[in-house]
Structure formats: structure tokens, C-alpha cells
Amino acid sequence: MLLRRPLLRAEGPDGEALSAVRRYTDRLQTLFAGYLGYRLVVEPGFARLYKTGRSPDGVRGAHKPNGAPFTPRTYAYLALVLAVLTGGQGQLLLSSLVAELRTLGAEAGLELGSGIVDRRALAAALRHLIDSGVLTETDGSVSPWAEDADREALLTVDAELLGHFVAAPLGRVQSPEELAGGPAAASAERVQAGAG
């Protein structure tokens, strides 16, 4: 189950399995570390399996509720939202989040549109965080905002879960190839850099 759903929450899908994960934490941590090189963190409200490297089928990534993979635009919004949320607010209005995203995007040299395509991409990124438990729709909903930018919602951030959401230690990643390939690719890349 953890291989299929690396972020397992008590309130989320398959949440009933969390008690079994807690019961066998030591064994599972040893198993995942020994056979796959994965790290398992178990907290009272969730378990997070940190996978490294590519999956066997070469496919990793987030998907929209309809099963479609995230587009580069949706990933860009997801990254910007995570950057804003890391700022430490416990609750924020959707309109404030969008304003901060635009400011952050401008600082990064990104032009964020306000049309329906951009709103849908941002709503998909937010829905992913809501489905993962990082955000909660305390009042209102994100979904109608994609069609009507005047809609509002109050969002609550789970700071502890936010800290475990991103699997790769991004501060130590030196290239996109290293991020995509995990530790083995990083070692190979460093060896090639040293040999050249």
C-alpha cells in the first residue's frame, strides 16, 4: 500500500492501514531501506515513504482527479504554492494565495496568466494538496474558483504534513537530472563531472 500511496494519512484513502504501519514501523523501515533504499517516516497522523530514483516503469508524478497527468504549468503552480505555504501561515484566503503566487512568480521571472487555463492548472495543484491533506478547505471550495475568479475560500495548512510533502531534499539537488534520477544518478553525474 505504501508503494502505491507513499503519503498515507489517517483521514485519507486507505487510512485504516495506518495503524498496521505504526505497529510494524521498525520492520517496514528496515525492509524499505534494505531492499529499495527508501526512507519511511511514521508520525501519529500519517506515514510518508520517501522513494528515490525512478519508478520501474519510468513514470512518476502527480495526476489530476480525472487521472490525467499534471502538465508543466500545473507543476509550476504546485511549486509556487508550496513556496508560498512554506512561509508559515496557518490559514489563508484563496485570493491572498493567488496574490502571493503572482508576486512570487514575477520575482522568479514567470508570467502567470489569469485566464481559465491558468486558473484550472492552479485549481488542480490546490486540489492535489487538498487530497493529500496538506490543505483543508475550511470555508468555501477551490473548485468553483477555476470557473469564477471572484469565488473565495479559506484554506488551512497542515504545517507538519507540508514539511513531508516533497520527497526529494531539494536544497541538495544540483541539476534536474539529479532530481529525476535520485541518488544513483547523482553519484554517476558527480563521477562524470570529476572525470571530465
Side-chain angles (χ1 to χ4, degrees):
M1 182 170 300
L2 284 165
L3 289 170
R4 185 174 33 108
R5 189 179 305 282
L7 182 58
L8 184 64
R9 298 179 301 118
E11 307 81 32
D14 302 319
E16 67 280 352
L18 187 58
S19 61
V21 171
R22 271 198 227 105
R23 191 173 328 121
Y24 298 108
T25 296
D26 293 339
R27 289 186 206 171
L28 289 169
Q29 287 172 330
T30 301
L31 176 88
F32 283 123
Y35 286 103
L36 300 171
Y38 294 174
R39 181 171 62 99
L40 176 64
V41 173
V42 180
E43 298 289 342
F46 66 91
R48 175 68 158 108
L49 180 64
Y50 288 92
K51 297 179 179 183
T52 55
R54 297 180 192 272
S55 62
D57 61 2
V59 177
R60 296 261 308 258
H63 290 80
K64 297 177 184 176
N66 66 4
F70 271 21
T71 63
R73 180 186 314 254
T74 307
Y75 275 118
Y77 277 112
L78 180 61
L80 288 170
V81 169
L82 290 170
V84 169
L85 296 180
T86 304
Q89 298 179 18
Q91 287 189 323
L92 70 163
L93 290 171
L94 179 56
S95 57
S96 299
L97 174 63
V98 171
E100 288 187 54
L101 287 174
R102 295 205 186 291
T103 301
L104 194 61
E107 289 173 8
L110 301 172
E111 280 191 43
L112 304 178
S114 58
I116 190 141
V117 172
D118 282 279
R119 288 197 316 270
R120 285 180 178 165
L122 175 54
L126 292 171
R127 175 60 45 207
H128 184 67
L129 292 171
I130 291 164
D131 292 344
S132 300
V134 172
L135 289 176
T136 302
E137 295 168 308
T138 305
D139 188 20
S141 177
V142 167
S143 298
W145 178 84
E147 307 301 322
D148 178 5
D150 292 329
R151 301 296 291 264
E152 190 63 272
L154 177 64
L155 304 172
T156 301
V157 181
D158 183 329
E160 185 177 14
L161 201 53
L162 174 63
H164 289 278
F165 185 75
V166 177
L170 299 178
R172 291 185 245 148
V173 175
Q174 297 177 7
S175 71
E177 292 77 21
E178 185 176 339
L179 179 62
S187 298
E189 190 173 289
R190 287 190 189 112
V191 168
Q192 287 177 343

